[in-house]
Amino acid sequence: MKGDKKITLGLVDDHTLFRRGIASLLREFDELDVLFEAANGIELQAQLKAHEKQVDIILMDISMPKMNGYESTAWIKDNFPHTKVLALSMFEDEKAIINMLKAGAVGYMLKESRPSDLLMAMNTIMEKGFYINELVTGRLLSSLQHDKQTQQTSLKITERELEFLQYCSTELTYKEIAAAMNVSPRTVDNYRESLFAKLNIKSRTGLVVYGIKNDLIKL
Amino acid sequence: MKGDKKITLGLVDDHTLFRRGIASLLREFDELDVLFEAANGIELQAQLKAHEKQVDIILMDISMPKMNGYESTAWIKDNFPHTKVLALSMFEDEKAIINMLKAGAVGYMLKESRPSDLLMAMNTIMEKGFYINELVTGRLLSSLQHDKQTQQTSLKITERELEFLQYCSTELTYKEIAAAMNVSPRTVDNYRESLFAKLNIKSRTGLVVYGIKNDLIKL
DNA sequence: TTTGACTACCGTAAAAATACCCTGGCAAAA
DNA sequence: TTTTGCCAGGGTATTTTTACGGTAGTCAAA
């Protein structure tokens, strides 16, 4: 049922031990060919450009410094449309799933998964072009159709808002954050309210949890 | 400089892909012998009891369901005193480091580390009995001596407080948390203030971040 | 039995966070 | 050029959070 061609892979994850571990694990499978590893989106771009061989699937972490999983996935979709992205995340978070799928990922798996599940997912992707599991349900996919405008605008978190989001995970008050960011307290109010509206969140706590789950905040 | 005996290892991490990956990676080294893997402290206990062979080093994650890294490490120290625990964590968090060391870990490394660093750390542990790096500094170790009473009391988070801490990471207000916990709003105020005092934290945000870093809150 | 720890509760007041209204500059895109 | 989005700022009001002062029952350890 599988093709006789090896599946060519790329790994993107900033946790070196995890990345190297997965690479070692996957190299034990004859039907897989791990072409390269990258610690973030920037490295990934270089690797993809350097390889002449077509890369079938990229296992992509979400939380990474420099260029995260969303941006990296979108970039791949634009520049290497034949390369499929399978998201690998720590968290079962609906927003993260939606965002990755919207960026162009064809599947979403947890790092708790078993190696055999991962292998099966990759085979499915090679056959059907996508992988649907209990995390990626029909409901989610249909919601993707509708929210195109909603979600697209909601995804655009600006630089200042991101900076503000970082400060939200500290014990600084908004007034102190304003001082740290060199703006008026009213302005940080705007950042907050803008993020609340975009992400459908109602409290600073919610922002922090969202930021951590989506790796916008590094602890 | 290394002994000619293989270092026997056990892995404890709830993320299957990471655990299996690390296992595969470490099995490539001749001087290592990975005896078993476990997804949490309970499994670890069973594995340790089942193996006659002495386990030299256990690579231990902190955040795990059922029985976390702190409890597991303390249990090993009590029941298998010759087995060393090397903590493997996602986070560079001083409190987590201190707690793991206090529980009996002989070293603390990040999952960002390179495999060669991990190997070196394990060799160091076999030679000297402990591994000190930039995360585990002399200052930290000396603070361990002093805070025995401070930390011990400060560590005692009660069941209700822990439950409350979970709710803190949601978008519920304290009043709503009180309703969810079936107590008066005043009572959750006490939980909060008690935690603030114990952990030297001043805001709900701080509680949430502390809880996540120390795996008291599961996202 | 006394002590300490945990649980649960109450009142008051100040500080912080949140919601909703608004203006204007500036740069990039249409 | 007009529009759009981001950035920065302002006013007002309410809700929530936080701080600080207490009391009391239970249960286990000293």
Side-chain angles (χ1 to χ4, degrees):
Chain A
M1 69 194 209
K2 284 167 270 180
D4 48 1
K5 198 172 100 355
K6 281 192 174 190
I7 302 177
T8 54
L9 293 179
L11 309 182
V12 191
D13 196 307
D14 59 321
H15 295 93
T16 306
L17 276 182
F18 177 78
R19 192 179 69 243
R20 298 295 298 275
I22 285 283
S24 170
L25 182 66
L26 296 180
R27 287 200 170 99
E28 293 175 6
F29 293 101
D30 289 333
E31 61 263 53
L32 302 180
D33 185 8
V34 180
L35 292 182
F36 65 84
E37 303 174 20
N40 55 60
I42 307 293
E43 284 188 32
L44 167 71
Q45 294 184 350
Q47 292 279 6
L48 266 178
K49 288 173 187 165
H51 274 270
E52 317 93 37
K53 236 187 210 177
Q54 183 186 314
V55 182
D56 295 324
I57 298 178
I58 290 191
L59 299 183
M60 174 84 70
D61 188 23
I62 297 179
S63 83
M64 288 177 295
K66 298 199 178 177
M67 186 172 176
N68 66 28
Y70 308 124
E71 302 170 79
S72 303
T73 301
W75 182 88
I76 290 171
K77 193 183 174 68
D78 286 342
N79 294 275
F80 293 83
H82 295 293
T83 299
K84 310 286 190 186
V85 173
L86 174 56
L88 262 187
S89 169
M90 300 271 292
F91 307 117
E92 182 176 342
D93 180 60
E94 183 159 312
K95 284 173 186 149
I97 297 172
I98 290 178
N99 288 345
M100 278 306 280
L101 294 179
K102 284 210 317 123
V106 298
Y108 188 102
M109 297 194 75
L110 295 181
K111 291 190 180 176
E112 278 100 35
S113 311
R114 289 171 306 171
S116 57
D117 292 332
L118 182 57
L119 189 62
M120 185 196 59
M122 291 193 287
N123 280 323
T124 306
I125 288 172
M126 292 308 288
E127 286 172 24
K128 301 186 185 168
F130 55 88
Y131 171 68
I132 291 189
N133 56 3
E134 67 282 1
L135 298 177
V136 182
T137 63
R139 181 180 59 79
L140 258 185
L141 289 176
S142 73
S143 80
L144 271 191
Q145 312 300 327
H146 305 306
D147 309 277
K148 276 198 174 161
Q149 67 288 44
T150 317
Q151 291 283 10
Q152 270 174 357
T153 52
S154 78
L155 265 187
K156 285 178 195 157
I157 295 175
T158 67
E159 272 306 307
R160 289 300 257 175
E161 286 167 355
L162 191 60
E163 201 183 334
F164 163 74
L165 191 52
Q166 291 283 345
Y167 282 112
C168 276
S169 69
T170 69
E171 295 210 325
L172 298 176
T173 66
Y174 288 130
K175 203 180 292 182
E176 291 167 333
I177 292 175
M181 291 180 71
N182 277 314
V183 294
S184 146
R186 314 290 176 171
T187 302
V188 304
D189 287 345
N190 286 341
Y191 297 151
R192 181 189 61 241
E193 288 177 23
S194 167
L195 285 173
F196 281 179
K198 286 177 185 173
L199 305 172
N200 193 28
I201 287 173
K202 286 167 209 66
S203 69
R204 177 164 174 174
T205 301
L207 276 187
V208 171
V209 172
Y210 174 89
I212 291 171
K213 280 187 178 173
N214 291 275
D215 205 44
L216 302 172
I217 292 174
K218 40 178 184 295
L219 291 181
Chain B
M1 70 193 208
K2 284 168 270 178
D4 47 0
K5 198 173 101 350
K6 280 192 176 191
I7 302 177
T8 54
L9 293 179
L11 308 182
V12 191
D13 197 308
D14 59 323
H15 294 93
T16 307
L17 276 182
F18 177 79
R19 192 178 69 242
R20 297 294 299 275
I22 285 281
S24 170
L25 183 67
L26 295 180
R27 288 200 169 99
E28 293 175 6
F29 293 100
D30 288 332
E31 60 263 52
L32 302 179
D33 185 9
V34 180
L35 292 182
F36 66 83
E37 302 175 21
N40 55 59
I42 307 294
E43 284 188 31
L44 167 72
Q45 295 184 349
Q47 292 279 6
L48 266 178
K49 288 173 186 165
H51 273 270
E52 317 93 37
K53 234 188 211 177
Q54 183 186 313
V55 182
D56 295 324
I57 298 177
I58 290 193
L59 299 184
M60 174 85 71
D61 189 23
I62 297 179
S63 82
M64 288 177 296
K66 300 201 177 177
M67 187 173 175
N68 68 27
Y70 307 125
E71 301 170 81
S72 303
T73 301
W75 183 86
I76 291 171
K77 194 183 173 68
D78 287 342
N79 295 274
F80 292 83
H82 295 293
T83 299
K84 309 287 188 184
V85 173
L86 175 56
L88 262 188
S89 170
M90 300 271 292
F91 306 118
E92 181 175 343
D93 179 61
E94 184 159 312
K95 284 173 186 151
I97 297 172
I98 289 179
N99 288 345
M100 277 306 280
L101 294 180
K102 286 211 315 125
V106 298
Y108 188 102
M109 296 193 76
L110 295 181
K111 290 190 180 176
E112 277 100 35
S113 310
R114 289 171 305 172
S116 58
D117 291 333
L118 182 56
L119 189 63
M120 186 196 59
M122 290 193 288
N123 281 323
T124 305
I125 288 172
M126 292 308 286
E127 286 172 23
K128 302 186 185 169
F130 55 87
Y131 171 67
I132 291 190
N133 56 3
E134 68 281 1
L135 298 176
V136 182
T137 62
R139 181 181 59 80
L140 255 185
L141 289 176
S142 73
S143 81
L144 270 189
Q145 313 299 327
H146 304 308
D147 309 277
K148 278 201 172 159
Q149 67 287 43
T150 317
Q151 290 282 12
Q152 271 174 355
T153 52
S154 76
L155 270 185
K156 284 178 196 157
I157 296 175
T158 67
E159 273 307 308
R160 289 300 258 175
E161 285 167 354
L162 191 60
E163 200 182 334
F164 163 73
L165 191 52
Q166 292 283 346
Y167 282 111
C168 276
S169 69
T170 68
E171 294 210 326
L172 299 175
T173 66
Y174 289 130
K175 202 180 291 181
E176 291 166 333
I177 292 176
M181 291 180 70
N182 277 315
V183 295
S184 147
R186 318 291 174 172
T187 303
V188 303
D189 288 345
N190 286 341
Y191 297 152
R192 181 188 62 240
E193 289 177 23
S194 167
L195 286 172
F196 281 0
K198 286 178 185 173
L199 305 172
N200 194 29
I201 288 173
K202 286 167 208 66
S203 68
R204 177 164 173 174
T205 302
L207 276 186
V208 171
V209 172
Y210 174 88
I212 291 170
K213 281 187 177 174
N214 291 275
D215 206 46
L216 302 171
I217 292 174
K218 39 179 186 294
L219 291 181

